[in-house]
Amino acid sequence: MLDNMIFKQLMKHSFTIPVEVTYPNGKTEKYGNGAPQVKIKVNEKIPVKDLLRNASITLGEAYMDKKIEVSGSLQVLINSAYESANSFLNNNKFKRFLPKQSHSEESSKNDVQSHYDLGNDFYKLWLYKTMTYSCAYFEKPDDSLEEAQMNKVHHILKKLDPKPGSSLLDIGCGWGTLMLTAAREYNMNVVGITLSEEQYNAVKQRIKDEGLEDQAEVLLEDYRELDHLPFDYITSVGMFEHVGEENLGEYFNTISRYLKSNGVALIHGITRQQGGAYNGWINKYIFPGGYVPGLNENLTHIIESGMQVADIEMLRRHYQRTLEMWTDNFHKVLPEVRKMHDERFIRMWDLYLQACAASFESGNIDVIQYLISKGPSARTLPMTRDYMYKD
C-alpha cells in the first residue's frame, strides 16, 4: 500500500504536460489539465526500495521489460519530467529517489567494445552513409542528416585552420569520416585511434578503398599508449565522456603531451553546464564507465594541462535534432533491427535515443566544442572567427 501511494505521488508531481496513468489494479488517474499527451500503463508494482537503490535503472528496466508501457512520445514525457519543478528529478522532497552511485573502474577496451562492437551493420541502418555517431551541425533548417554530419566534420576542421601537409591525430576516430576527410580534402597526414575492433576494421578498409595509405593510418590501441611524434593538430569527438571522472585530467594531459608547441586541438563532447553527472541506467546498458563532465571540470583540466582556451561553442540544440533524426531512422528500420536483436534490446535502444534527446532539449546536458591551444590562446589562429565560416 505504501509503495503504491509513494509511486502515485511521484507520478502526480513529475510532469508539466497532462498525462494519464493506469496502475496495476486497473485504475486510471489523469494528471494535469487537458487531454493527455502521453499515456502510461504500469503493469507491475514498482517497489520503492528499488527506486531508492537506483531510480534510473529501476524505471529504465521496467520499460525494457514492459512493466511500464508508454503510448505517445518518450521524448516529450521525459522532457516534461526534466522541466517540472516539482518532479522527483528537481524537488528536494523527492531527491532521495535520484540514483545513488559511484564510478566503477572497468577496462576501457571492454567498455568501448560493449557499445561500438554491436556490429557495423546495426549502426549503418540508422546512422546512414557517413557512419558518424556524434552531434551533427545544422547550417540550414532543411539540412539532411548526412549533410549536417559533413557540416560538423568541416566545422571542426575549419576551426583548426589546418595547413596542407600538417599532421592530425584523431582520438576516438569512430568509423573514420573526420580523419579521412582531413586527409582527402585538407591534404593532411592523419592518424586515427580506436579501441573498437569493428571500427578499426572498417576504417582500415576505407583507407585502402580510397587510396589514402600514404596519408592515413588507423591504430587499435589505447589513446594513452600512442608512440608517435607530436602532432600539429588533434581532434577528439565524443571521447572524453568515456574516460571516467578520475581519468579526465590524464585525458587532457595526454592531449597536451601529443600536441606540438602552439599546436591546436578541437575537443567535442557532451558536457553538463550544471556540473558532472552519472546515469545508472546509461552506465549499465549503454555506455559502461561513462561520465558526463561539468563545464568547469573540463576548463580546469585544460588549464592545468598547460593549454589555453581559444573558443567555446555550445551545440545543444544540434544534438537534440540529431537524436530526433536518429530516432526516426531507427523506427523506420525496425524490421531489419528485429533480425539482429530482440524486443528488449529494441525498447532499450529506443529509450536511450529518446531520453537523450529529451535531456538535451531540457538543457540537462549540453554538447560543447572546445578549441584549445598549447601555449598562449590562439597564437597561430586568425584574429576573428570569420575564418571558421569561409568555404
Side-chain angles (χ1 to χ4, degrees):
M1 180 66 71
L2 181 61
D3 281 5
N4 289 337
M5 290 175 59
I6 292 176
F7 192 76
K8 285 185 177 183
Q9 285 298 307
L10 288 176
M11 293 295 102
K12 182 177 180 180
H13 294 285
S14 287
F15 307 107
T16 57
I17 60 171
V19 300
E20 178 182 287
V21 181
T22 301
Y23 292 98
N25 61 7
K27 292 185 177 180
T28 296
E29 300 281 354
K30 293 182 180 179
Y31 304 112
N33 298 320
Q37 292 185 29
V38 177
K39 295 181 180 181
I40 303 170
K41 185 180 180 185
V42 184
N43 294 319
E44 295 183 27
K45 184 180 73 173
I46 308 297
V48 170
K49 63 180 179 63
D50 292 343
L51 287 169
L52 286 169
R53 187 178 301 118
N54 195 303
S56 66
I57 292 177
T58 299
L59 294 174
E61 289 179 340
Y63 180 79
M64 291 163 60
D65 296 330
K66 289 191 176 182
K67 294 178 181 178
I68 295 177
E69 297 185 81
V70 175
S71 298
S73 169
L74 281 170
Q75 179 181 340
V76 168
L77 181 69
I78 297 170
N79 179 59
S80 72
Y82 279 120
E83 291 185 340
S84 172
N86 292 317
S87 93
F88 68 92
L89 292 173
N90 299 311
N91 194 313
N92 286 332
K93 181 179 178 181
F94 298 112
K95 283 290 188 182
R96 64 183 182 276
F97 291 102
L98 288 173
K100 300 170 178 62
Q101 55 196 314
S102 60
H103 182 75
S104 61
E105 290 193 17
E106 295 182 302
S107 165
S108 293
K109 184 174 182 179
N110 290 337
D111 289 347
V112 169
Q113 291 183 351
S114 71
H115 186 84
Y116 294 100
D117 284 356
L118 287 172
N120 292 337
D121 290 342
F122 169 69
Y123 286 104
K124 284 177 184 176
L125 287 174
W126 51 278
L127 291 181
Y128 291 179
K129 184 177 179 180
T130 66
M131 288 292 283
T132 307
Y133 191 26
S134 57
C135 174
Y137 183 69
F138 296 88
E139 294 180 351
K140 300 186 296 295
D142 59 348
D143 279 341
S144 68
L145 179 60
E146 183 176 343
E147 289 170 334
Q149 289 292 11
M150 291 310 302
N151 291 345
K152 184 268 302 296
V153 168
H154 289 293
H155 192 49
I156 287 173
L157 292 172
K158 286 178 181 178
K159 283 186 174 184
L160 298 175
D161 194 32
K163 305 300 185 288
S166 57
S167 57
L168 170 71
L169 170 65
D170 190 18
I171 299 176
C173 64
W175 286 275
T177 297
L178 188 152
M179 60 175 283
L180 297 183
T181 300
R184 185 177 57 250
E185 300 186 35
Y186 293 77
N187 195 26
M188 302 178 76
N189 298 307
V190 302
V191 175
I193 52 177
T194 179
L195 285 174
S196 164
E197 291 186 4
E198 291 275 340
Q199 291 180 343
Y200 168 78
N201 291 330
V203 177
K204 193 172 182 180
Q205 187 62 49
R206 288 187 66 182
I207 290 172
K208 181 179 179 180
D209 291 345
E210 297 184 30
L212 293 171
E213 293 96 330
D214 292 338
Q215 284 182 263
E217 179 183 11
V218 62
L219 303 173
L220 182 67
E221 62 181 77
D222 192 288
Y223 73 98
R224 292 162 291 194
E225 304 302 323
L226 187 63
D227 184 21
H228 276 60
L229 295 173
F231 294 82
D232 298 301
Y233 305 98
I234 292 177
T235 52
S236 188
V237 179
M239 172 68 184
F240 62 60
E241 305 95 306
H242 300 290
V243 305
E245 182 179 10
E246 70 277 16
N247 295 322
L248 275 171
E250 182 179 15
Y251 169 79
F252 284 106
N253 283 332
T254 301
I255 290 171
S256 180
R257 187 170 75 251
Y258 291 158
L259 267 182
K260 292 181 180 179
S261 179
N262 296 315
V264 180
L266 191 290
I267 311 303
H268 168 125
I270 299 172
T271 310
R272 289 190 84 241
Q273 295 202 31
Q274 307 92 325
Y278 301 93
N279 179 279
W281 183 81
I282 291 284
N283 276 39
K284 182 174 181 179
Y285 288 100
I286 307 297
F287 292 114
Y291 171 74
V292 176
L295 175 59
N296 58 332
E297 285 180 271
N298 282 341
L299 293 176
T300 296
H301 288 307
I302 288 168
I303 293 166
E304 289 181 347
S305 68
M307 298 184 290
Q308 293 191 8
V309 177
D311 190 85
I312 293 180
E313 183 176 11
M314 284 66 175
L315 299 176
R316 178 185 61 81
R317 291 187 294 169
H318 292 265
Y319 217 160
Q320 176 192 338
R321 188 166 180 181
T322 302
L323 281 153
E324 290 168 351
M325 286 186 164
W326 286 345
T327 300
D328 288 343
N329 292 349
F330 184 71
H331 288 170
K332 290 175 184 175
V333 298
L334 281 178
E336 294 301 314
V337 176
R338 288 192 172 98
K339 296 176 183 178
M340 304 176 181
H341 299 285
D342 61 19
E343 287 298 318
R344 191 172 192 262
F345 175 92
I346 289 171
R347 290 173 69 84
M348 176 189 77
W349 207 262
D350 194 25
L351 176 60
Y352 153 59
L353 292 173
Q354 293 198 58
C356 287
S359 203
F360 282 108
E361 182 178 6
S362 67
N364 180 55
I365 53 177
D366 207 327
V367 62
I368 298 177
Q369 289 188 349
Y370 305 81
L371 184 64
I372 55 183
S373 59
K374 187 172 181 179
S377 63
R379 174 180 277 173
T380 62
L381 297 176
M383 291 285 282
T384 73
R385 287 175 169 172
D386 291 350
Y387 79 97
M388 299 179 185
Y389 304 101
K390 292 179 180 178
D391 291 334

